[in-house]
Structures are given as structure tokens and as C-alpha cells.
Amino acid sequence: MSDKHATLTLNNESIDCPVLDGSLGQSVIDIKPVPKTQHFTFDPGFGATAACESGITFIDGQQGILLHRGYPIDQLAFDTDYMEVCYLLMHGDLPNADQKDQFIHMIKKHSNVHDQINRFFCGFRRDAHPMAIMVGVVGALSAFYHDSLDINNPELRELSAIRLVAKMPVLAAMSYKYSIGEPFMHPKHELSYAENFLNMMFGTPYDDTTKPDPVLSRAMDRIFTLHADHEQNASTSTVRVAGSTGANPFACISAGIGALWGPAHGGANEACLRMLQEIGSEDRISEYIAKAKDKNDPFRLMGFGHRVYKNYDPRAKVMQQTCHEVLDTVGCHDDPIFKLAMKLEKIALEDEYFVEKKLYPNVDFYSGITLNALGIPSNMFTVIFAIARTVGWISQWMEMMSDPNRRLARPRQLYTGPTQRDVSNISDR
Ligand code: ACO
């Protein structure tokens, strides 16, 4: 705590609010004393509210900085891999070689899903959106792993965390295989996390374990790394709110998956590709730019803008480079969708409206194009985001569960409904 204080004066009464300093970034005004004034604070969208203390991820949106446990995202993306980043988020520091081997061993050991989970899939329509399947199946894991549901036991919390990180790519690939009517693939011990995911997506029992091209599996790994955590965003806050009630971790992550699905959040990568397909040709870009600027048109340029980054998205810089590596490897720089995307990027970066409002391409603009080049169908884009973000969600959940000051999340409201009135007899209404 600093020795600074903020004073709120209301109806001649003054309330003293302590100012708390973090290790980086903005200090916060502790407004817990405010209800004593018979008032609440009003902050729709939580743009001015820090809801927790956290030591996992730091973002400076003005400077375009993203740090996980102090390490810059570009260094993590280029100099480590996703398994190391998972360890970092969960344990607070990067692993040494032995710790990394043990962690990978644990992830592989827990990657198979219970055989009865296969039957869950049969309950879904064949054309179900894979995100709909994920919301259901991940929540259903709580019916299978009773032995790790004691949320007050730190070792069991970690076991649930490992189970979730390990099983997410398997469940995600199963949701895709189910939708195309192909048999489920099992994870293979000799493949890395990213290679396994690509193999479970594209391999078949009669033609399996074709190790994916290293550039493509590296790109997949980087997409996982860049989406691993992002501070108190909508889905992470959802996980924390659900967790604050004492709900089990599988239910909390399922809630996070639901929140991620929306096009303003994780659904943006899928929405971005759909938008590119809808625009269709370069000569229609100006029509869509005009729609995006029109206040009376709800259309927004998907993959542009960010609630926090108002300068540039540091993940987008890494993703842009990875995107070009993938396009070079698969040789689709001439594909009309990619050409269209590049043209749109250029126009939006130069257009006064986008420049003035600081609407830069975000990570999902480039990840959508990259995933498309990797042959991933667009309805799987948000699922891939969910695989990657699971480690962030569960690390934030574990941090919250070990916080002695944890409280049930219970926001207040500004009530604008009818004042008290009496119920009349039904014949008089
Ligand atoms: N296209 C056109 N105009 C936009 C866009 C866009 N993509 N994004 C914001 N604006 C405009 C708004 O209309 C608003 O204009 P105004 O000041 O004239 O009213 C202004 O920019 C500010 O927009 P807000 O909605 O207030 O900004 P906010 O921070 O709430 O929105 C958001 C952030 C939701 C990401 C928004 O930029 C958006 O909808 N982008 C498209 C969806 C997207 O790509 N989401 C992915 C986010 S990244 C992620 O989740 C990993």
C-alpha cells in the first residue's frame, strides 16, 4: 500500500480511500469504504475497475506491452514453446529442462479422455458448432473426475489444471472429427502438444502420425502461446466470477468457454474470416469500410480494435510474422482471401477513421488468416483460442483460490425499474 489517499466528498461527508500500488502500471483507489456513504460506484463494462490482485499477466495498452510473469510476449513466442509458457503461467517461472520434461510427461499422461466421454458426442447434432460441444463436454468433465474436485486442496487444484490443459486439444479435435463424421484420433506420446493437435485434427486411423511440417506445427504452437493468457478479459473474469462461488474448475472453464465464444472476444477470428468471405473481392472493400464507419450500421471491421491496446497489439506483431511464414510454406500468398486480407489491412491502417480511433489489426486478424492457411475450418478458430486460453483461465483460478482475501463476486446495480407497487387481481390487469 502507498501512503497516498483519495478523498471522496459527498453531501459534506468525506470518505478516505487508500491508494494501492502494484509493481507495474496504474495504482488503484480502494473503494471498499464507498458503500458507507449509501452509494455504490457505477462502471458498466468494468473499464475503470480492478476486480482482483494478480501476479500473472501485465498489459500496458498505451505502450503495447504484454508480460507474462514479467516476460515479454515476443520473447516467449520466439524463445520458448507453449509447454514452457503453460508451466510459467501455472508455476510463476519458466521451467528448467528437468521441470519441463516432467511437466510434459504429466500432460501426456493425462491427455486421454475417459472412454465414456465419446458417448457424449453422440448426443449432439452432427452439425453442432464445435464451441457448443466444447461448452457441454468440458463442463461434463466434472462428472468424470470426482477425485480432483476438492477445490480447497492445492494439489488437487493442480491435478484438475493439468487434466484440463492436457485434454482440451483432444476434446477439440474430437468435436471437429464428430462434425465431419471421421473416427476420433488418440494423442500420441511421440508428438508435441501442437503436433498432436494437428495430427488428431487431420490424421486418420488408416494414415496417422504424419508429423506435421515443422513450420506449421511451430505456427500452431505460437498461436497457443499468443493466446495463453490476457489478464482480466471477459472470459477470464467469467472464470473468476464462477470460481468465486466455489464451483468446480471444470464448470468454471466451461463458463469461460461460453464467454469466449462471442464475436467481440474470442469469436472475432471466426467472424473475421466470415467477413473476408462476405466481402469477397478487393473492389468491395471500400463499401465495407464505409459500413464500418456508418454509425447507423452495426457492422464492425472484425479483427480490428481492442478494448485495452490503443497503440498496437504486441501479439499481432508476432502473429503477422508467423502468418507470412505459414503463407510462404503452404504457398498461398496468391489465394484471393489472403490478398483481400492484406489489402484490407493496408487500407484500414491508412484510413483516417481507423487511425484516429486507433483501430489496429488485433491478434485475431492474423490468427484467422493463419489458421485458414493451416487448413483449419473457421468454426474451429475459437475452439483453438479456448485450448490456448485454458491455461490462463486455470492459472487465474488457482491464483484466486489460494488468495486468502477471496470474496464471492457480487456486483451491485443502478436500479431503474418501477418503484414498489401492489399486485392487482388478475381480472383487473
Ligand atoms: N470497426 C469499426 N469501428 C470500430 C471498431 C471496428 N472493429 N472497433 C471500434 N470501433 C469504433 C466504435 O464504433 C467507437 O466509435 P465512436 O467513438 O464513434 O462511438 C470507437 O471505435 C470505440 O469503440 P468501442 O466499442 O467503445 O471500443 P471498445 O474498447 O469497447 O471495443 C472491441 C473493443 C469490442 C474489440 C471493438 O474494437 C470491436 O468490436 N472490434 C471488432 C471485434 C474484434 O476484433 N474483437 C477481438 C478483440 S481481440 C480478442 O478478443 C483476442
Side-chain angles (χ1 to χ4, degrees):
M1 196 195 297
S2 74
D3 46 14
K4 285 180 276 175
H5 288 254
T7 308
L8 176 71
T9 306
L10 208 68
N11 303 335
N12 294 327
E13 197 192 342
S14 287
I15 292 285
D16 183 53
C17 298
V19 173
L20 313 178
D21 290 333
S23 52
L24 282 174
Q26 273 111 326
S27 301
V28 300
I29 301 167
D30 181 348
I31 55 164
K32 285 200 292 296
V34 169
K36 280 191 210 150
T37 66
Q38 303 305 316
H39 290 75
F40 296 127
T41 52
F42 186 57
D43 181 23
F46 311 119
T49 299
C52 64
E53 267 186 60
S54 180
I56 300 178
T57 293
F58 172 75
I59 299 172
D60 182 329
Q62 295 302 331
Q63 312 257 4
I65 293 172
L66 168 59
L67 310 176
H68 292 319
R69 306 280 193 188
Y71 297 109
I73 189 64
D74 54 332
Q75 290 183 27
L76 291 171
F78 291 122
D79 302 333
T80 73
D81 61 27
Y82 181 65
M83 284 292 96
E84 290 174 64
V85 171
C86 287
Y87 186 97
L88 171 71
L89 293 172
M90 286 171 64
H91 297 281
D93 216 336
L94 285 166
N96 62 28
D98 283 348
Q99 289 165 329
K100 183 177 176 182
D101 283 351
Q102 277 172 29
F103 184 74
I104 292 175
H105 172 75
M106 286 296 280
I107 293 290
K108 291 194 170 179
K109 183 173 153 196
H110 287 283
S111 58
N112 271 317
V113 296
H114 195 288
D115 206 45
Q116 285 174 7
I117 287 181
N118 296 1
R119 291 189 223 150
F120 258 84
F121 284 81
C122 308
F124 289 98
R125 278 176 59 128
R126 203 180 43 208
D127 58 357
H129 194 289
M131 280 299 276
I133 298 181
M134 292 302 281
V135 170
V137 175
V138 174
L141 291 180
S142 44
F144 286 83
Y145 300 106
H146 300 282
D147 60 331
S148 66
L149 293 188
D150 179 0
I151 56 169
N152 297 314
N153 180 330
E155 280 167 26
L156 295 184
R157 293 202 290 258
E158 182 158 344
L159 176 57
S160 292
I162 295 273
R163 281 176 164 160
L164 276 156
V165 172
K167 293 179 201 308
M168 279 296 281
V170 184
L171 295 172
M174 287 169 83
S175 71
Y176 173 60
K177 287 296 198 190
Y178 182 74
S179 72
I180 58 167
E182 284 189 5
F184 298 144
M185 295 290 289
H186 294 289
K188 296 200 164 285
H189 283 284
E190 64 271 27
L191 298 181
S192 73
Y193 193 85
E195 287 170 343
N196 246 322
F197 175 63
L198 290 171
N199 192 53
M200 288 185 290
M201 283 285 292
F202 299 120
T204 56
Y206 22 91
D207 176 23
D208 70 339
T209 327
T210 32
K211 237 184 186 276
D213 182 296
V215 174
L216 306 187
S217 47
R218 182 71 200 150
M220 195 68 248
D221 190 90
R222 211 166 268 165
I223 289 173
F224 289 149
T225 295
L226 294 176
H227 290 84
D229 192 48
H230 211 232
E231 205 227 63
Q232 307 310 321
N233 56 82
S235 56
T236 303
S237 298
T238 303
V239 170
R240 279 187 178 260
V241 169
S244 80
T245 70
N248 76 68
F250 303 102
C252 295
I253 300 304
S254 169
I257 296 172
L260 185 75
W261 196 355
H265 189 13
N269 47 17
E270 179 181 353
C272 175
L273 201 80
R274 250 191 282 117
M275 173 191 77
L276 292 172
Q277 284 159 346
E278 188 185 313
I279 297 175
S281 65
E282 291 177 32
D283 57 353
R284 295 186 67 203
I285 290 179
S286 52
E287 181 192 329
Y288 279 82
I289 296 266
K291 269 164 77 68
K293 292 180 190 175
D294 183 354
K295 281 263 149 264
N296 300 316
D297 191 324
F299 175 79
R300 283 188 168 196
L301 220 47
M302 287 293 137
F304 287 79
H306 198 275
R307 168 58 66 83
V308 178
Y309 296 120
K310 299 299 178 195
N311 193 341
Y312 71 91
D313 178 343
R315 303 165 302 170
K317 273 201 158 175
V318 178
M319 203 60 241
Q320 186 191 38
Q321 183 180 328
T322 306
C323 178
H324 285 285
E325 284 167 17
V326 169
L327 296 188
D328 287 341
T329 305
V330 298
C332 57
H333 262 120
D334 289 334
D335 183 291
I337 285 289
F338 304 129
K339 286 172 101 173
L340 178 64
M342 294 306 121
K343 188 83 182 269
L344 182 66
E345 176 200 33
K346 188 168 180 309
I347 293 175
L349 285 173
E350 289 165 359
D351 189 283
E352 205 182 313
Y353 173 92
F354 288 87
V355 173
E356 195 186 298
K357 292 189 186 300
K358 299 184 186 297
L359 300 172
Y360 300 90
N362 56 48
V363 64
D364 283 337
F365 180 72
Y366 300 107
S367 67
I369 302 166
T370 310
L371 289 169
N372 190 46
L374 287 171
I376 308 269
S378 60
N379 64 358
M380 284 297 290
F381 290 3
T382 314
V383 175
I384 286 169
F385 193 158
I387 300 174
R389 184 55 58 83
T390 294
V391 73
W393 290 329
I394 204 68
S395 301
Q396 301 264 353
W397 175 81
M398 287 197 290
E399 180 183 66
M400 181 184 74
M401 296 309 290
S402 60
D403 181 351
N405 298 321
R406 166 168 62 98
R407 293 192 77 205
L408 171 71
R410 176 59 172 88
R412 311 306 290 245
Q413 64 172 5
L414 174 65
Y415 177 70
T416 56
T419 53
Q420 185 167 335
R421 49 187 172 160
D422 294 324
V423 174
S424 55
N425 192 293
I426 194 164
S427 56
D428 300 331
R429 284 179 228 155

